[in-house]
Amino acid sequence: MHKLFKGFLTGLLFLTIVAIPACKSKKTPPPKVAPTETTASVPPVAATTTETQVTNPPDFVQTETQPNVTVTTLPSDIAELNRVAEERGYLQDAFFDFDASTLSSDAQAALTASANWLRQNAQYNVLIEGHCDERGTEQYNLALGDRRANAAKEFIVALGVDAGRIRTVSYGEERPFDPGHDETAWGKNRRAHLVIVGK
Amino acid sequence: MTDRRVSRLSAVQGAVRQLGHPFVLLLLVLPMAAPLQGQTQIHTEINPNQATPVVRIAIPHPETVIPLEEYNDAFFAPLTRDLAASGVFAIAPIPPNVAVNGDLVKAANADFLLALKMRQEEQDYIVEARLIDARGMTISEPFRPSAYRGTAPALTRMAHTLASNLVRAFSGKTGIFLSQIGYASNRSGHWEIWLMDWDGANQRQITHDRSMAILPSWSPDNDRMVYTRFAGGRSEMYIINRIGGGRMSVPTALGLNTSATFSPVSHDIAFVGSVSGNPDIYVVRDDGTNLRRLTTGYSIESTPEWSPTGRQISFTSGRSGTPQIYTMDADGTNVQRISFDGAWNDDATWAPDGEQLAYTSQVNGRFQIRIMNVITRQSRIIAGEGSNEQPTWSPDGRWIAFQSNRSGAWQIYRIRVDGTDLSQLTFDGENKDPDWSKKSE
C-alpha cells in the first residue's frame, strides 16, 4: 500500500512538472498523464461534470450489498441518484475529529460500504469533497479538507476502487452541511462527502 | 528626535509655537506616542505610526457657485474624512464669522487653512487647492498649489487624490486614499470578487463567475488580482484585472490552488498546491510555467505570503501538531518558527516595513488579530469581539483591514494598528478575505 501510494505520488509529481495544461475554461479536458514507467497507478482524471449527465436511460443494477433487494432501479438523474445513494447508504460519508484527517473505525466502516457499492457500480465516478467545521481558519481549513478528502480516497482505492474514478476537492469551511455553531453542527461539518458525478 | 521631544512638551504645556518653517509645526502627537516617551529610538522605528507630527488644518467649504448638494457628498465630505483619518492632519473647527484668510488660521488655532475654489466648465469640475498660513500667505512648500479636473463621477477620486497629495507633502509618504481593498462577497447569490475604496465606498463586483470565487490577492502594480475559483468540483487559480476583464487561468495540475499571492518583485505566484492530500507551498509563474515546490514533508502547509522585498515567505504549517506561523527564504531554505502562542495561528501577512507580521491567532478559544515584530518577536493583540481573521495592511502600514463575525455574519472592518478608530466597511450579504492593494495609488 505504501509503495503504491509512493508511486502514485511520484507519478502525480511528475505530472505537475511535465504536463502543465492550458486550462482556459471548465470545459477544457484535464491533463493527460505523460507516459513513463511510474504512471501505471496514475490514470487520467475523468472529465465529467454534473451538468452534462442528465439524459441517460434508467439503469438496472445487480447489487450484492443489499441481500433483501436483488435488483435495484437507480435513477438516471444525478441529483436524484445521489439522494437515493445517501438514503439507502450506498455511499456513506466519513466523519473526522477536530483538526484531524485520520480515519476512525466508524469512518472506515462508512468508506468500506461506499467502496463496496462503487466496486459493484463501476460505471459511476465519484467526487470526494473535504469539509471542515468553522472553528479553524479559512485558508488552513482548505488544506485540511484536501487532506481529509484524500484520506478517504486512499482508503477506497485500497479496497479496490480504480483511483481514476475518484476526484477530490476541498471546500474547507466554505459549504457547511449544518449552519449551526455548536458541536452537533461542527461534527456534521467535519467530513469527506462522497458525490456521484456521472459515468 | 530632539525636535519631536520639544514639540511633545509644547503640546503638553498647551503652548502653540510658530517654529518658522511650516514643515516643523508639531502641535499634537498621536495617542500611541505618549506611552513610548522616554524609550529608546528603536521603538519609534518599529511603528511608523507613532512619531508622526500632526498638522492642524482648517477646511472651509469651497469658494464656488456650485450648490452644496452637488459637491458635498462626492467631494468635500470624503476629502475631510481622508484628512481627519490620515494621522498627519487634525481638522481644526472653524469659528463663525471670520473671513477666509490668515485671520481664520489664527482664530481656528490652526497651522493652515485649505483654500478651495471650485468651478464648472461644461461637464468638468475644476478644483483649485492651496494652503494659507497664519500670515495669510499661500505657501509653496511643502504643498504647492494644485488643480484637479474631472467629471462628476470623478469628484470623489479628485478628493482622494488631493488628500493623498497633502499627506505626501507633510509626511513624505503618499496617502492611502486611492488604495483599494479586494474581497469576496456573496451578496449577489454567489461568492464573487469585489473591490471597494479604502473607506468602504464604491463597492463593486469584478468577477461574474457564478460559482465560488474567493481569496483575492493584488499584484504589486495594483492592476491585477489572483484568486481561487471553485467550479465543476475543482479549485483553480485565476487572474483578473481590476475592472473585471482579462480573466485567465493559472494552470498547475495540482489540487487546492488556494491562498495565491503575487511576488512583490517578479512574475511568481506563491500558493498552496496539493498532491495526494499533501498540501505544500509552491511557486509558479503567472503564466503557469516554472512550477517549484518550496516545502516538503507530509505536514499541512498553507497560506504563503511574501515579505515586501520578496526575499522571504511566511506560511502556516501543522508540523508541530497545531497550525503555527513560520518564515522561510523565498527558495524554501532557512525555515523558522515564528508563532508559539495559541493552538491555532494562520493568515500571516507582512507590514510594508517588513518588520512586522499580522496574523490570526487563537486567544482564549477565539481568533484575534496579533501583530508581531519579527525581529524582537514581541507581539500584541488587537482585541475585538467575535472571531477576527485574515488581516491585511494598508499600503502605509497605519491600518489593518480584517474580517469579523461579531455582527453574526462575516463582514470586513478597518482599524488603526494601535487598535483605535474601528469602522465596519461592508454590510450587504457576507464579506470576507480582504486584501488591501499594495500601492497607494
Side-chain angles (χ1 to χ4, degrees), chain B residues 52-90:
Chain B
T52 310
V54 172
V55 178
R56 275 175 69 85
I57 187 170
I59 315 179
H61 275 271
E63 183 186 328
T64 186
V65 296
I66 299 166
L68 178 75
E69 59 270 21
E70 213 172 309
Y71 71 79
N72 191 58
D73 289 355
F75 180 85
F76 191 71
L79 172 68
T80 311
R81 274 203 304 270
D82 286 357
L83 294 176
S86 66
V88 174
F89 295 98

Side-chain angles (χ1 to χ4, degrees), chain B residues 191-240:
Chain B
W191 284 103
E192 303 276 9
I193 308 303
W194 288 63
L195 294 184
M196 60 182 161
D197 294 352
W198 89 287
D199 55 3
N202 197 17
Q203 303 200 4
R204 57 210 188 272
Q205 183 178 346
I206 63 162
T207 65
H208 296 83
D209 292 348
R210 301 181 68 79
S211 49
M212 184 166 82
I214 57 171
L215 295 168
S217 178
W218 285 98
S219 65
D221 59 8
N222 282 11
D223 284 341
R224 300 185 297 165
M225 307 199 81
V226 60
Y227 66 97
T228 300
R229 175 179 183 257
F230 290 75
R234 298 171 196 282
S235 50
E236 294 172 301
M237 289 185 283
Y238 280 79
I239 292 173
I240 196 163

Side-chain angles (χ1 to χ4, degrees), chain A residues 23 137-139 146-147 174, chain B residues 249 259 274 298 390 432-433:
Chain A
C23 293
T137 46
E138 178 183 5
Q139 299 192 69
D146 179 75
R147 175 152 292 187
E174 311 288 339
Chain B
S249 74
S259 304
S274 158
Y298 193 60
Q390 304 223 45
K432 59 179 188 157
D433 306 348

Side-chain angles (χ1 to χ4, degrees), chain B residues 66 117-121 124-128 147-150 158:
Chain B
I66 299 166
K117 275 187 191 170
M118 193 178 226
R119 65 178 198 277
Q120 228 176 336
E121 280 183 12
D124 284 356
Y125 291 84
I126 297 157
V127 177
E128 291 170 12
Y148 304 82
R149 180 176 187 132
M158 288 159 64

